[in-house]
Amino acid sequence: MKYLSTTKAEAFIAQALHANQVPLADATLVAQLMIQSDLVGADGHGIFRLPAYIKRIRAGGINLSPNIQIEREQGATALINGDNALGHLVMNKAVDVAIEKVKQHSVCWVGSHYGNHSGAASVYVRKLAEQGYIGIYMAVGNANHMAPWGGIDLLLSTNPIAIAVPSGDKPIVLLDIATTVAAYGKVKLAAQKGESIPDTWMIDRQGQPITDPQKSSEGSLLPIGGYKGYGLAVMIGLLAGALNNAAVGKGTIDFNAHHDLITNTGQTIIAVDPSAFGDKEQFVARVIALVDDLKASSTLPGVNQIRVPGDGAARVMAERLSCGIPISSELQESLNNCAKECGITALDL
């Protein structure tokens, strides 16, 4: 395994995007946000996605001169029209609007439509938590990979949810999960590496496990927690898709298969100021106390430590800021093929 520094990774992404007519400022911002996914270990959402983004840009599936704007606004709510821009730009705007509104109203709900894939959900709630706010994110995934509980028709996506809670100078308590056992990006990563996937990730149309990621199109991702995960995916679809007049259900476009079509991706950001409910420092102290109690609790035989949401991401971020982002030979080949198409210098690791 080879490693790529964040500085070089961001520069490579920005160059590739700019070579495909993305304005330099936008390309630079998207590169920074993409690498935030890699830094926390969400490898299926970071630089791995660059070739797919380039394909969409070249096919005309992305608006490179968007007018990202607030389409509707009422009190502590807003609906952003992403104008089919690169998804990272749309969500960055949504977070900016959320920060403005939470300062004014103590709580806000910002929805968006006509967006695109924007990387790991944690990237955006982390931006809120770093400023002392609680952040909640929900989205409709960019392709349907899950059938309703007991069914075989693919009508739901991985529909992620992320929640970040500030904890002072301690690591942010952050949950970022798909409503499926595994995000589809992990399946794509396994396929790229020629690896098998666990038999708990997918089933075929007869309900039998799929372990070959190359056969993923023949089956359905399984929801977390059985029917409960399915129910959660439905509700997120309604709140991030239907509520925002964005694609959901049969209207969802598979951005992996149709690079030229508008996906109308729907996403939602909720921000909460803890000081609206009492002293913020006391709240943070209660957060830290619970985390400490959880970590100090007794363990089952064979368990070395109790972890809380966000521990893994904090550890991986520290490692990758120091050592760089791991790049497999397969990913390097994919990125260098992309570089050749874009007319930029290949990665030399």
Side-chain angles (χ1 to χ4, degrees), residues 208-244:
Q208 299 303 308
I210 291 176
T211 57
D212 182 355
Q214 301 290 350
K215 297 182 179 180
S216 62
S217 61
E218 301 174 13
S220 166
L221 288 173
L222 287 167
I224 56 173
Y227 67 89
K228 295 180 180 179
Y230 156 63
L232 183 59
V234 171
M235 302 311 291
I236 291 174
L238 294 176
L239 295 178
L243 182 62
N244 293 334

Side-chain angles (χ1 to χ4, degrees), residues 53 129 207 226 262 274 318:
Y53 294 163
I262 296 174

